[in-house]
Amino acid sequence: VDVVALGPEDAAEAVAVWEEAGLTRPWNDPHEDFARAVLGPASAVLGTRLDGTLAGTAMVGHDGHRGWVYYLGVRPAYQRRGLGRALMAAAESWVRERDVPKIQLMVRHTNPAALAFYAALGYADVDCYVLARPLGAP
Ligand SMILES: CC(C)(COP(=O)(O)OP(=O)(O)OC[C@H]1O[C@@H](n2cnc3c(N)ncnc32)[C@H](O)[C@@H]1OP(=O)(O)O)[C@@H](O)C(=O)NCCC(=O)NCCS
């Protein structure tokens, strides 16, 4: 499976993958998210094509200490063919190549299928809460 770094020209197709995979949220603008990740110095959107169609993506970035994965999604018609696994392997390589020692991601409690997928890849829950607070206008 070939996984490549996507460019600005792939935005519409990547957002379509995210929509089909159920990854978009009304409070995030996926086009902005895509542009920020593709243009930023410490992030990328990786993608894989089958029959010329963008079948899946993974957004990856790092803060020097940890790598993070977002927007991992495979179009439903292409799922269970190893593409998710290949995208995660490529995200891991991307992080490792930048000398960042670990990689992590967040999964919603309401997404047991994704949890099963990550468990199959050797990912485990770490003993840690994720805390968040919305930052309104100052
Ligand atoms: C999660 C997702 C990216 C997996 O992609 P995929 O290409 O279907 O995954 P793979 O084919 O590489 O699966 C690898 C292994 O993970 C496990 N797995 C994958 N999907 C699974 C599921 N729905 N239920 C249980 N195990 C699953 C299996 O062990 C699978 O190996 P197998 O097919 O030989 O049994 C895909 O299901 C998806 O896009 N889901 C919707 C979006 C999403 O939830 N993303 C994660 C957000 S945190």
Side-chain angles (χ1 to χ4, degrees), residues 21 72 79-80 107-121:
L72 176 80
Q79 288 179 7
R80 298 306 284 263
V107 184
R108 288 170 200 279
H109 289 189
T110 50
N111 195 351
L115 275 182
F117 164 77
Y118 289 119
L121 270 59

Side-chain angles (χ1 to χ4, degrees), residues 17 20-22 50 55 72-84 113:
V17 169
E20 267 197 40
L50 274 191
L72 176 80
V74 173
R75 290 190 200 258
Y78 293 98
Q79 288 179 7
R80 298 306 284 263
R81 299 189 197 184
L83 298 186

Side-chain angles (χ1 to χ4, degrees), residues 63-131:
D63 54 26
H65 186 58
R66 295 188 171 92
W68 284 92
V69 180
Y70 304 89
Y71 284 111
L72 176 80
V74 173
R75 290 190 200 258
Y78 293 98
Q79 288 179 7
R80 298 306 284 263
R81 299 189 197 184
L83 298 186
R85 189 187 284 277
L87 286 161
M88 284 302 296
E92 289 168 8
S93 298
W94 187 96
V95 170
R96 203 181 290 113
E97 282 160 14
R98 284 153 183 83
D99 290 328
V100 175
K102 49 194 162 187
I103 187 164
Q104 58 189 47
L105 51 97
M106 292 185 282
V107 184
R108 288 170 200 279
H109 289 189
T110 50
N111 195 351
L115 275 182
F117 164 77
Y118 289 119
L121 270 59
Y123 284 71
D125 189 28
V126 289
D127 198 10
C128 197
Y129 293 106
V130 177
L131 306 183

